[in-house]
Amino acid sequence: MASIKLSVERLTEGLYIKLPVQWTDHPFLLNHFKIKDNQQIRLIKNLGIKHVFLIPEKSESQPLDPDNALEAISEHESRFLDQQADKLWKEKQGRIEKLKSYKRKLQRCEKNFSRSMAQLRSIVGKIKSRPVTAVKEAEMLVEEMVDALLESDNVALHLMNEGSENEDIYSHSLNVAIMSMMLARSSGMDGKDIKTIAIGALFHDMGKLKVPTAIIRKTTPLTEPEENYLKLHPKYSVDLANLSDSFPEQAKPILSQHHELLDGSGYPKQLTAEQIDPKAQLVAVVNAYDNLCHPQDPAKARIPYSALSYLFKHKKEQYNNDYLALLIRLLGVYPPGSVVQLSNQQLGLVISVNSESLLTPNILLYDPTVPSNEAPIIDLEESHLRIEQVIHPSKLPDKVHAYLNPRSRISFYFDPDD
């Protein structure tokens, strides 16, 4: 969007401007904003700024003629403006402290996510040779996660930085487990049922360990024999679970039925709605969503916003509609990982969403005047901004992509201390 260099003497209400200074060098909440009154103009002048950048397309008025400029600021008014600036600085400082607290929360979340991933890797490593130990460790991991989830009244879902590549089975399994747990909690299930769902979700794809890697990693269409081999993975998952007498019986339908569809078009047994275990129906919805975001062929990956709308528009006959609606409520209209353009034309990355406010997630803003590790995070609910559109990460300019770092794999974790 084109901008024009404009003298501060020509500023008036309704002009949409961008300040030419660092975010930390002025008291306003954002570098881009529409001027709402003369006091803002006086504050800008009081900062010693001589020029701003005007964005005509977003402005509701025309700049003043140079002859109609505001009169000089009196000493009395200058003192008043200093007081107003102090007030704004304090408000902004409060926001900065809130941002630091939020980032600490994200770091805590990242740490818990990394620990859970490490535990899951260890469990998978033992599943064939020491199945009893593997199931016991999985139950301990699930117990810990579910207890943390149930301890809080208000749980937000956060976007995680992904670890190393070629860990799709761990990332996918943990992702499906996290979202399934939260979905189960939202649907009013008790702790025992949530734990059953969590352990079923963690193990639902473990049968893929018995499918040749060449098939699992193939990005071109599978041949019929390869497709049939891949479709054996629900059976293989149950076989692995059966190696341990302690694997919960109630979780086994999740392993065997997570690819069954309500209309009977799924596999391996083409079961219909009333034949499919309700817990398997829940995990099936989450599994379908995560597979749309991370298919075998990365070129076919959908962004979170597109994956959700695809399920809702085209797959309602195949998946439990109550769980589908709950998934949309859990992830928000703009799920974590979505790159968005705001009403002030700034770009940002949705990093967390709260189910109490679906249209106003927390957004990491692209602001070239601020280092990326200090990028402002705004709560849309408090900012008076709105999301105008979702943008595919591939359409971002290189410098914006590098700054926002949209993830190629979207992983989630929750923070029970919200």
Side-chain angles (χ1 to χ4, degrees):
M1 187 162 285
S3 60
I4 302 166
K5 194 173 181 182
L6 185 73
S7 163
V8 294
E9 305 303 328
R10 300 185 63 193
L11 293 179
T12 187
E13 291 175 34
L15 293 182
Y16 196 97
I17 61 163
K18 178 184 172 187
L19 297 176
V21 292
Q22 297 275 339
W23 185 65
T24 48
D25 293 340
H26 65 77
F28 300 102
L29 188 60
L30 297 169
N31 277 12
H32 309 60
F33 57 90
K34 190 182 292 176
I35 296 173
K36 64 179 183 182
D37 54 33
N38 281 337
Q39 188 176 303
Q40 285 188 331
I41 298 171
R42 303 288 201 191
L43 283 167
I44 292 167
K45 287 183 175 181
N46 219 32
L47 289 169
I49 293 172
K50 301 299 180 190
H51 293 89
V52 297
F53 292 101
L54 172 71
I55 301 172
E57 297 97 310
K58 300 292 290 179
S59 297
E60 292 175 351
S61 59
Q62 294 296 319
L64 294 176
D65 291 331
D67 298 337
N68 293 334
L70 288 169
E71 70 279 3
I73 300 171
S74 68
E75 190 178 335
H76 172 74
E77 189 178 5
S78 181
R79 281 199 300 273
F80 172 74
L81 289 173
D82 284 342
Q83 290 170 355
Q84 291 302 108
D86 283 346
K87 184 180 172 187
L88 286 176
W89 273 116
K90 279 176 186 165
E91 285 177 10
K92 187 169 182 177
Q93 197 55 43
R95 291 292 181 96
I96 291 169
E97 287 306 315
K98 194 174 174 183
L99 172 60
K100 285 179 181 173
S101 168
Y102 184 82
K103 286 188 172 176
R104 283 195 297 271
K105 183 186 293 183
L106 277 184
Q107 285 168 351
R108 188 169 66 239
C109 233
E110 294 267 7
K111 193 175 171 184
N112 290 339
F113 172 75
S114 298
R115 193 176 72 241
S116 295
M117 276 286 280
Q119 287 174 277
L120 185 57
R121 273 186 227 110
S122 169
I123 289 162
V124 173
K126 294 168 186 166
I127 202 161
K128 288 180 185 173
S129 57
R130 292 153 62 198
V132 175
T133 306
V135 170
K136 195 170 185 179
E137 287 183 10
E139 286 180 325
M140 286 167 64
L141 172 59
V142 162
E143 187 94 20
E144 189 182 315
M145 289 195 296
V146 174
D147 286 350
L149 182 67
L150 293 175
E151 273 170 18
S152 174
D153 293 331
N154 182 23
V155 182
L157 196 62
H158 299 289
L159 180 67
M160 293 292 97
N161 274 316
E162 192 47 59
S164 55
E165 292 180 8
N166 300 327
E167 295 198 330
D168 291 354
I169 192 165
Y170 310 117
S171 302
H172 173 67
S173 298
L174 187 57
N175 238 12
V176 172
I178 295 295
M179 287 192 283
S180 295
M181 285 162 51
M182 293 187 75
L183 215 55
R185 180 185 191 260
S186 301
S187 69
M189 290 188 192
D190 62 20
K192 184 169 176 254
D193 283 341
I194 297 174
K195 285 171 187 175
T196 299
I197 278 176
I199 201 152
L202 273 184
F203 279 87
H204 80 283
D205 260 359
M206 292 306 159
K208 285 186 176 177
L209 295 169
K210 295 178 77 172
V211 177
T213 307
I215 293 176
I216 298 293
R217 298 212 181 282
K218 190 175 179 185
T219 55
T220 52
L222 298 179
T223 63
E224 192 176 344
E226 288 170 336
E227 183 93 31
N228 291 336
Y229 209 144
L230 183 63
K231 284 182 175 180
L232 287 170
H233 80 266
K235 176 191 176 301
Y236 292 154
S237 293
V238 175
D239 290 345
L240 285 171
N242 284 337
L243 291 174
S244 167
D245 293 338
S246 62
F247 191 89
E249 283 298 322
Q250 308 94 305
K252 287 180 183 175
I254 294 170
L255 279 53
S256 61
Q257 298 176 7
H258 64 276
H259 281 291
E260 300 287 2
L261 301 170
L262 302 191
D263 62 2
S265 63
Y267 68 88
K269 294 185 175 176
Q270 290 80 50
L271 302 179
T272 52
E274 61 282 354
Q275 299 170 299
I276 304 170
D277 184 274
K279 293 183 181 68
Q281 290 184 31
L282 183 149
V283 174
V285 168
V286 176
N287 184 54
Y289 169 77
D290 201 62
N291 281 337
L292 283 170
C293 293
H294 312 110
Q296 282 181 244
D297 180 359
K300 292 180 179 172
R302 291 175 180 269
I303 58 173
Y305 176 81
S306 163
L308 261 190
S309 60
Y310 175 79
L311 282 176
F312 194 70
K313 286 176 188 170
H314 303 290
K315 297 292 178 181
K316 288 178 96 170
E317 305 302 314
Q318 298 183 336
Y319 295 101
N320 183 302
N321 283 202
D322 292 338
Y323 293 142
L324 203 48
L326 273 176
L327 182 66
I328 291 168
R329 181 154 184 75
L330 171 66
L331 292 173
V333 178
Y334 306 102
S338 301
V339 177
V340 294
Q341 182 175 309
L342 302 177
S343 50
N344 69 348
Q345 304 309 303
Q346 275 189 281
L347 297 171
L349 181 73
V350 177
I351 55 169
S352 69
V353 66
N354 195 308
S355 60
E356 300 305 310
S357 185
L358 296 184
L359 290 169
T360 53
N362 289 300
I363 295 175
L364 179 96
L365 287 181
Y366 168 67
D367 188 336
T369 66
V370 181
S372 59
N373 63 338
E374 295 171 17
I377 295 172
I378 62 162
D379 180 342
L380 271 197
E381 197 167 23
E382 297 177 359
S383 72
H384 310 298
L385 294 171
R386 67 183 188 283
I387 292 172
E388 284 196 343
Q389 62 172 318
V390 177
I391 294 173
H392 198 284
S394 64
K395 302 275 197 306
L396 291 174
D398 289 346
K399 61 181 182 180
V400 182
H401 197 285
Y403 188 102
L404 292 177
N405 185 27
R407 323 290 195 257
S408 57
R409 170 166 274 286
I410 313 282
S411 290
F412 303 124
Y413 210 78
F414 59 86
D415 180 24
D417 298 319
D418 267 36

